[in-house]
Tab-separated table of all heavy atoms in Angstrom:
chain	number	residue	atom	x	y	z
B	624	GLN	N	63.593	-35.123	161.143
B	624	GLN	CA	63.863	-35.197	159.706
B	624	GLN	C	62.934	-34.247	158.955
B	624	GLN	O	61.766	-34.110	159.288
B	624	GLN	CB	63.754	-36.649	159.196
B	624	GLN	CG	62.422	-37.320	159.403
B	624	GLN	CD	61.486	-37.234	158.232
B	624	GLN	OE1	61.819	-36.655	157.184
B	624	GLN	NE2	60.294	-37.803	158.363
B	625	HIS	N	63.529	-33.587	157.952
B	625	HIS	CA	62.818	-32.579	157.169
B	625	HIS	C	62.634	-33.042	155.731
B	625	HIS	O	62.595	-32.230	154.803
B	625	HIS	CB	63.622	-31.273	157.191
B	625	HIS	CG	64.032	-30.846	158.566
B	625	HIS	ND1	63.228	-30.094	159.389
B	625	HIS	CD2	65.159	-31.074	159.283
B	625	HIS	CE1	63.852	-29.869	160.531
B	625	HIS	NE2	65.026	-30.448	160.509
B	626	LEU	N	62.571	-34.358	155.544
B	626	LEU	CA	62.544	-34.930	154.208
B	626	LEU	C	61.176	-35.462	153.811
B	626	LEU	O	61.019	-36.011	152.719
B	626	LEU	CB	63.574	-36.067	154.123
B	626	LEU	CG	65.017	-35.640	154.416
B	626	LEU	CD1	65.929	-36.861	154.550
B	626	LEU	CD2	65.530	-34.715	153.316
B	627	GLY	N	60.204	-35.353	154.702
B	627	GLY	CA	58.872	-35.867	154.405
B	627	GLY	C	58.798	-37.383	154.423
B	627	GLY	O	57.885	-37.967	153.828
B	628	HIS	N	59.739	-38.013	155.102
B	628	HIS	CA	59.758	-39.473	155.169
B	628	HIS	C	58.771	-39.993	156.213
B	628	HIS	O	58.338	-39.267	157.102
B	628	HIS	CB	61.171	-39.970	155.511
B	628	HIS	CG	62.137	-39.748	154.404
B	628	HIS	ND1	63.514	-39.858	154.591
B	628	HIS	CD2	61.965	-39.450	153.094
B	628	HIS	CE1	64.114	-39.631	153.444
B	628	HIS	NE2	63.203	-39.371	152.523
B	629	ASN	N	58.464	-41.276	156.085
B	629	ASN	CA	57.525	-41.891	157.023
B	629	ASN	C	58.170	-42.921	157.936
B	629	ASN	O	57.527	-43.429	158.843
B	629	ASN	CB	56.387	-42.562	156.248
B	629	ASN	CG	55.541	-41.544	155.514
B	629	ASN	OD1	54.983	-40.637	156.125
B	629	ASN	ND2	55.450	-41.677	154.209
B	630	ALA	N	59.407	-43.258	157.695
B	630	ALA	CA	60.101	-44.242	158.521
B	630	ALA	C	61.314	-43.606	159.175
B	630	ALA	O	62.028	-42.815	158.554
B	630	ALA	CB	60.543	-45.426	157.668
B	631	MET	N	61.539	-43.943	160.426
B	631	MET	CA	62.687	-43.444	161.165
B	631	MET	C	63.331	-44.583	161.947
B	631	MET	O	62.652	-45.528	162.351
B	631	MET	CB	62.287	-42.300	162.098
B	631	MET	CG	61.756	-41.088	161.337
B	631	MET	SD	61.473	-39.654	162.373
B	631	MET	CE	63.158	-39.049	162.597
B	632	TYR	N	64.636	-44.467	162.145
B	632	TYR	CA	65.427	-45.554	162.700
B	632	TYR	C	66.401	-45.033	163.755
B	632	TYR	O	66.920	-43.920	163.618
B	632	TYR	CB	66.282	-46.216	161.598
B	632	TYR	CG	65.546	-46.603	160.342
B	632	TYR	CD1	65.168	-45.651	159.392
B	632	TYR	CD2	65.251	-47.945	160.068
B	632	TYR	CE1	64.506	-46.020	158.229
B	632	TYR	CE2	64.608	-48.311	158.906
B	632	TYR	CZ	64.238	-47.336	157.987
B	632	TYR	OH	63.593	-47.713	156.825
B	633	TRP	N	66.682	-45.850	164.738
B	633	TRP	CA	67.802	-45.624	165.654
B	633	TRP	C	68.815	-46.739	165.449
B	633	TRP	O	68.469	-47.927	165.441
B	633	TRP	CB	67.368	-45.638	167.119
B	633	TRP	CG	66.759	-44.370	167.624
B	633	TRP	CD1	65.495	-44.187	168.094
B	633	TRP	CD2	67.392	-43.093	167.756
B	633	TRP	NE1	65.298	-42.888	168.483
B	633	TRP	CE2	66.451	-42.191	168.293
B	633	TRP	CE3	68.677	-42.608	167.464
B	633	TRP	CZ2	66.734	-40.840	168.546
B	633	TRP	CZ3	68.965	-41.278	167.714
B	633	TRP	CH2	68.006	-40.408	168.250
B	634	TYR	N	70.099	-46.318	165.299
B	634	TYR	CA	71.211	-47.248	165.209
B	634	TYR	C	72.222	-46.928	166.308
B	634	TYR	O	72.377	-45.780	166.702
B	634	TYR	CB	71.951	-47.103	163.869
B	634	TYR	CG	71.241	-47.637	162.661
B	634	TYR	CD1	70.373	-46.832	161.927
B	634	TYR	CD2	71.467	-48.937	162.215
B	634	TYR	CE1	69.740	-47.322	160.791
B	634	TYR	CE2	70.845	-49.431	161.076
B	634	TYR	CZ	69.985	-48.611	160.370
B	634	TYR	OH	69.367	-49.086	159.241
B	635	LYS	N	72.956	-47.962	166.720
B	635	LYS	CA	74.085	-47.788	167.625
B	635	LYS	C	75.362	-48.108	166.860
B	635	LYS	O	75.446	-49.157	166.201
B	635	LYS	CB	73.955	-48.732	168.823
B	635	LYS	CG	75.134	-48.676	169.795
B	635	LYS	CD	74.956	-49.688	170.922
B	635	LYS	CE	76.142	-49.652	171.882
B	635	LYS	NZ	75.995	-50.664	172.966
B	636	GLN	N	76.342	-47.195	166.921
B	636	GLN	CA	77.621	-47.416	166.247
B	636	GLN	C	78.727	-47.443	167.288
B	636	GLN	O	79.072	-46.409	167.865
B	636	GLN	CB	77.894	-46.326	165.195
B	636	GLN	CG	79.147	-46.603	164.386
B	636	GLN	CD	79.387	-45.558	163.302
B	636	GLN	OE1	78.919	-44.423	163.391
B	636	GLN	NE2	80.105	-45.941	162.263
B	637	SER	N	79.270	-48.620	167.517
B	637	SER	CA	80.385	-48.797	168.456
B	637	SER	C	81.663	-49.002	167.661
B	637	SER	O	81.624	-49.460	166.516
B	637	SER	CB	80.139	-50.003	169.368
B	637	SER	OG	78.899	-49.885	170.034
B	638	ALA	N	82.774	-48.686	168.283
B	638	ALA	CA	84.067	-48.821	167.611
B	638	ALA	C	84.290	-50.267	167.175
B	638	ALA	O	84.027	-51.203	167.929
B	638	ALA	CB	85.182	-48.378	168.548
B	639	LYS	N	84.750	-50.411	165.945
B	639	LYS	CA	85.137	-51.699	165.390
B	639	LYS	C	84.005	-52.719	165.329
B	639	LYS	O	84.245	-53.920	165.279
B	639	LYS	CB	86.324	-52.291	166.154
B	639	LYS	CG	87.549	-51.382	166.158
B	639	LYS	CD	88.759	-52.064	166.709
B	639	LYS	CE	89.924	-51.099	166.874
B	639	LYS	NZ	90.292	-50.399	165.626
B	640	LYS	N	82.778	-52.253	165.331
B	640	LYS	CA	81.615	-53.124	165.194
B	640	LYS	C	80.705	-52.571	164.108
B	640	LYS	O	80.662	-51.352	163.890
B	640	LYS	CB	80.836	-53.226	166.507
B	640	LYS	CG	81.588	-53.930	167.626
B	640	LYS	CD	80.764	-53.940	168.897
B	640	LYS	CE	79.519	-54.786	168.768
B	640	LYS	NZ	78.778	-54.873	170.065
B	641	PRO	N	79.962	-53.425	163.434
B	641	PRO	CA	79.013	-52.908	162.448
B	641	PRO	C	77.906	-52.105	163.123
B	641	PRO	O	77.630	-52.303	164.311
B	641	PRO	CB	78.434	-54.178	161.814
B	641	PRO	CG	79.372	-55.269	162.182
B	641	PRO	CD	79.978	-54.886	163.480
B	642	LEU	N	77.294	-51.225	162.371
B	642	LEU	CA	76.137	-50.510	162.899
B	642	LEU	C	75.076	-51.518	163.317
B	642	LEU	O	74.793	-52.484	162.609
B	642	LEU	CB	75.526	-49.591	161.836
B	642	LEU	CG	76.038	-48.170	161.775
B	642	LEU	CD1	77.415	-48.136	161.155
B	642	LEU	CD2	75.085	-47.286	160.997
B	643	GLU	N	74.483	-51.261	164.477
B	643	GLU	CA	73.447	-52.150	164.994
B	643	GLU	C	72.112	-51.425	164.957
B	643	GLU	O	71.949	-50.380	165.581
B	643	GLU	CB	73.751	-52.541	166.446
B	643	GLU	CG	75.089	-53.203	166.672
B	643	GLU	CD	75.365	-53.349	168.161
B	643	GLU	OE1	74.570	-54.023	168.850
B	643	GLU	OE2	76.357	-52.775	168.634
B	644	LEU	N	71.156	-51.981	164.237
B	644	LEU	CA	69.818	-51.423	164.234
B	644	LEU	C	69.184	-51.647	165.599
B	644	LEU	O	69.238	-52.754	166.152
B	644	LEU	CB	68.967	-52.096	163.154
B	644	LEU	CG	67.524	-51.633	163.039
B	644	LEU	CD1	67.448	-50.181	162.585
B	644	LEU	CD2	66.755	-52.538	162.074
B	645	MET	N	68.569	-50.581	166.137
B	645	MET	CA	67.917	-50.697	167.449
B	645	MET	C	66.397	-50.713	167.288
B	645	MET	O	65.728	-51.636	167.738
B	645	MET	CB	68.334	-49.529	168.335
B	645	MET	CG	69.819	-49.431	168.609
B	645	MET	SD	70.239	-47.950	169.526
B	645	MET	CE	69.571	-48.332	171.150
B	646	PHE	N	65.882	-49.664	166.672
B	646	PHE	CA	64.425	-49.525	166.554
B	646	PHE	C	64.064	-48.989	165.177
B	646	PHE	O	64.834	-48.266	164.559
B	646	PHE	CB	63.881	-48.532	167.599
B	646	PHE	CG	64.152	-48.897	169.023
B	646	PHE	CD1	65.152	-48.234	169.739
B	646	PHE	CD2	63.399	-49.869	169.668
B	646	PHE	CE1	65.400	-48.557	171.059
B	646	PHE	CE2	63.646	-50.201	170.991
B	646	PHE	CZ	64.653	-49.537	171.683
B	647	VAL	N	62.858	-49.359	164.732
B	647	VAL	CA	62.305	-48.830	163.497
B	647	VAL	C	60.876	-48.372	163.772
B	647	VAL	O	60.108	-49.077	164.429
B	647	VAL	CB	62.284	-49.881	162.370
B	647	VAL	CG1	61.701	-49.279	161.093
B	647	VAL	CG2	63.672	-50.426	162.110
B	648	TYR	N	60.561	-47.188	163.259
B	648	TYR	CA	59.193	-46.684	163.309
B	648	TYR	C	58.731	-46.418	161.880
B	648	TYR	O	59.452	-45.843	161.079
B	648	TYR	CB	59.105	-45.383	164.124
B	648	TYR	CG	59.031	-45.616	165.596
B	648	TYR	CD1	60.185	-45.856	166.344
B	648	TYR	CD2	57.803	-45.624	166.260
B	648	TYR	CE1	60.113	-46.083	167.703
B	648	TYR	CE2	57.735	-45.849	167.629
B	648	TYR	CZ	58.890	-46.086	168.339
B	648	TYR	OH	58.822	-46.312	169.696
B	649	ASN	N	57.532	-46.852	161.595
B	649	ASN	CA	56.928	-46.625	160.285
B	649	ASN	C	55.557	-46.004	160.510
B	649	ASN	O	54.704	-46.608	161.165
B	649	ASN	CB	56.816	-47.950	159.523
B	649	ASN	CG	56.606	-47.747	158.042
B	649	ASN	OD1	57.070	-46.777	157.451
B	649	ASN	ND2	55.912	-48.684	157.418
Side-chain angles (χ1 to χ4, degrees):
Chain B
Q624 59 95 0
H625 310 274
L626 301 170
H628 291 166
N629 294 302
M631 297 187 77
Y632 310 76
W633 279 118
Y634 287 89
K635 177 183 179 182
Q636 186 177 24
S637 305
K639 302 189 187 304
K640 293 178 67 175
L642 269 74
E643 303 171 60
L644 179 66
M645 300 175 71
F646 301 104
V647 180
Y648 278 82
N649 198 31

